[in-house]
Amino acid sequence: QVRIVESGGGLVQPGGSLTLSCAASGGALDPNAIGWFRQAPGKEREGVSFISTSDGSTYYIDSVKGRFTISRGSSRLTVTLQMNSLEPEDTAVYYCAAKDGPPARIGNYSPFPAEYDYWGTGTQVSVSS
């Protein structure tokens, strides 16, 4: 049974930092990519950052480039998202997700949520004074 668990969310002031962690497990899980979506109140769920489990290629939406860094942990099924210089606009529920598929580079676009097969339940990130 596939399980994805996120942690690390919280409340920080603008300019602060948080590190989100994602741990995926399960015998049926054979992902070619793991990454993070977020959903703010009243907005569509959007892809934020993703990493290939095979070649390590990454993708970031333009609004987080230079501030967020995605990386893999000791396991290829463990991913962290280091978030620096946080802004109020980053406030959202952040979801870790994984997709099955053959080894491949991360595409140069923000994926639709429907492209991903397995999901965590989310962790709240709030950036406010």
Side-chain angles (χ1 to χ4, degrees):
Q1 182 173 335
V2 174
R3 185 184 184 197
I4 296 179
V5 179
E6 308 102 328
S7 62
L11 174 63
V12 297
Q13 295 183 359
S17 298
L18 286 172
T19 301
L20 304 184
S21 297
C22 173
S25 62
L29 183 60
D30 186 22
N32 69 352
I34 301 176
W36 296 88
F37 292 81
R38 67 185 181 187
Q39 188 163 22
K43 293 188 175 182
E44 299 279 329
R45 188 170 298 189
E46 67 175 348
V48 178
S49 183
F50 301 86
I51 188 166
S52 168
T53 60
S54 57
D55 67 8
S57 55
T58 59
Y59 169 82
Y60 301 90
I61 55 171
D62 188 66
S63 62
V64 309
K65 288 180 179 177
R67 300 189 298 119
F68 291 10
T69 303
I70 192 168
S71 61
R72 293 180 293 187
S74 58
S75 168
R76 82 186 244 276
L77 301 183
T78 302
V79 173
T80 64
L81 184 68
Q82 178 65 48
M83 305 187 296
N84 298 324
S85 302
L86 283 162
E87 303 167 352
E89 292 75 17
D90 297 314
T91 296
V93 177
Y94 284 69
Y95 299 90
C96 184
K99 66 189 295 282
D100 285 331
R105 291 185 58 81
I106 290 293
N108 190 30
Y109 71 101
S110 183
F112 292 104
E115 297 178 40
Y116 277 68
D117 302 296
Y118 311 105
W119 292 80
T121 57
T123 185
Q124 177 71 50
V125 172
S126 298
V127 185
S128 176
S129 299

